[in-house]
Amino acid sequence: MVKSTIALTVRKINAQTSVIDIKGDVNAAADAALADAYAQASGQGIRTVILNFSGMDYMNSSGIGLLVTLLVRAQRQKQHLRACGLSEHYQEIFNLTRLNEAIGIFADEAAAAVA
Amino acid sequence: MTNPTPPPDRDDAWAKAGSQFNVGTLPKDAININVQGKRVAGPVKGFGALWQKTYTARFVGTKPDPNTVIREWRAHFGDFWPKGNRFFTEGSRVDPGAVAVLNLSPAPGATVVTGIMVLFADDEQFTFLTPEGHMFGGMITFTARVDEETSDTIAEIQALIRANDPFIELAMALGGTMQRTSIGRRPSPISPGILAQQQHRRRRKSASTGVCAGRKPAISSAAR
């Protein structure tokens, strides 16, 4: 069984926007932690949740799958999901899987918050 | 004195940036249409709701290491298809960025030609993406693990898929996935006759705007 090495921190940066800071590896073992973090981040009045990948060490294809399910959850709640801090490599993976067509990619948290 | 071998770069498990459905050299009996030059149809876009389906098979009588299961599965993937269905890829291996052509026989006399791209492959799992024009858009991940309760080795296929037209959506809603369920029923060369002793599937329909519904029917095994 893959061990979880993910560490997630949830911050609310304004009345409508929350940030999930992601550290460690995003793989199948991160499923519950990511779901819990999203539940915390998507409280009342939140319109946008920003996934901050600047502290992420690694993501495998199961991690991409988790993001797809997270995206569906966000759409159900009529919230926007955005990403920042992705390395060039993972931006390419988002492009390849076409995840970038549904999750906006921004250079940093400030840009994602004002988009 | 020799330098130690550097650890493998984990990023090498991913298909290279800009990968397309470029079909390599295939055997002459492969029907190669509908795949070359296609774009990826990931699980994000599509006609219908997002479906998550999980299929598992428990090894009985042997406890192969999960990494061995994945290594053999990647090396012999084309051997595990039901009769009448063929999987063609250049070099026959499942490697990152590889494109395979599928010649499927959903009914006697009918042939469906489509393909997949290997998005990701390492010692622990591998994942396929489908091309535009495929009956569904999505990603399918193959993993193996040890059951913590029984210490049995379990092979697992998880699909995150979205129908590309209303007929496929209807078929998926009605349970028309048995053809895909049959993948993996044939015995593995490392476990003759003992692979698919137990198989079950889980569904989760995650409508982009609707309700999440689920059911977990058990289906009978097809061990041969």
Side-chain angles (χ1 to χ4, degrees):
Chain A
M1 193 72 174
V2 180
K3 297 282 187 274
S4 176
T5 63
I6 198 168
L8 302 168
T9 308
V10 177
R11 295 180 284 123
K12 189 172 179 179
I13 58 173
N14 61 46
Q16 296 187 330
T17 311
S18 292
V19 178
I20 301 175
D21 295 308
I22 300 171
K23 292 183 178 173
D25 289 2
V26 181
N27 53 30
D31 188 3
L34 203 53
D36 288 348
Y38 192 83
Q40 282 183 51
S42 59
Q44 194 171 14
I46 294 297
R47 303 287 304 276
T48 302
V49 175
I50 300 170
L51 303 173
N52 177 8
F53 290 97
S54 57
M56 183 180 73
D57 292 327
Y58 182 67
M59 178 161 54
N60 66 9
S61 55
S62 292
I64 291 290
L66 294 184
L67 297 183
V68 171
T69 56
L70 212 57
L71 175 65
V72 171
R73 183 175 302 187
Q75 289 172 336
R76 274 209 308 267
Q77 297 177 196
K78 301 191 183 333
Q79 293 169 329
H80 298 289
L81 203 56
R82 294 177 184 155
C84 69
L86 279 169
S87 68
E88 189 175 341
H89 170 71
Y90 287 108
Q91 288 185 40
E92 293 292 349
I93 299 303
F94 271 49
N95 293 342
L96 184 58
T97 56
R98 301 180 68 173
L99 209 50
N100 64 319
E101 296 177 19
I103 300 177
I105 299 175
F106 299 87
D108 54 40
E109 182 181 313
V114 300
Chain B
M1 183 172 174
T2 57
N3 293 325
T5 304
D9 186 343
R10 293 197 293 179
D11 290 347
D12 288 344
W14 288 97
K16 298 298 179 215
S19 295
Q20 296 279 339
F21 277 83
N22 291 319
V23 180
T25 305
L26 301 180
K28 288 181 179 175
D29 56 336
I31 304 171
N32 179 12
I33 55 175
N34 298 337
V35 180
Q36 177 62 38
K38 295 282 187 181
R39 294 181 67 204
V40 163
V44 173
K45 302 281 185 179
F47 169 81
L50 180 73
W51 290 79
Q52 178 177 298
K53 296 168 182 285
T54 304
Y55 308 90
T56 61
R58 184 181 301 267
F59 284 79
V60 176
T62 185
K63 298 181 188 297
D65 175 69
N67 288 6
T68 303
V69 174
I70 294 300
R71 190 165 53 246
E72 292 295 323
W73 214 348
R74 285 179 59 187
H76 302 283
F77 192 83
D79 298 337
F80 299 147
W81 287 71
K83 188 178 179 183
N85 297 270
R86 307 279 304 274
F87 175 94
F88 299 100
T89 184
E90 190 172 39
S92 76
R93 279 191 55 86
V94 172
D95 290 324
V99 171
V101 169
L102 313 180
N103 292 177
L104 308 176
S105 181
T111 300
V112 173
V113 180
T114 184
I116 55 93
M117 176 194 291
V118 182
L119 169 69
F120 181 95
D122 68 5
D123 291 342
E124 297 175 349
Q125 63 186 70
F126 55 98
T127 297
F128 297 155
L129 287 175
T130 56
E132 286 183 337
H134 194 84
M135 55 284 265
F136 56 79
M139 52 191 291
I140 304 167
T141 297
F142 301 75
T143 59
R145 60 186 165 83
V146 174
D147 185 326
E148 291 179 354
E149 288 183 9
T150 64
S151 77
D152 290 342
T153 302
I154 295 175
E156 183 170 294
I157 304 172
Q158 185 175 89
L160 278 172
I161 54 178
R162 200 185 287 272
N164 276 332
D165 65 58
F167 297 107
I168 297 298
E169 175 71 358
L170 182 62
M172 290 168 74
L174 294 175
T177 55
M178 293 309 291
Q179 188 66 25
R180 283 196 302 284
T181 304
S182 65
I183 297 171
R185 280 181 173 178
R186 297 182 66 191
S188 158
I190 57 169
S191 57
I194 54 176
L195 173 62
Q197 189 256 2
Q198 179 183 330
Q199 191 172 49
H200 69 266
R201 62 181 178 173
R202 184 180 76 219
R203 295 176 170 188
R204 189 169 74 195
K205 181 182 180 183
S206 304
S208 57
T209 57
V211 180
C212 181
R215 64 177 189 176
K216 299 180 180 179
I219 62 171
S220 60
S221 122
R224 296 185 221 175

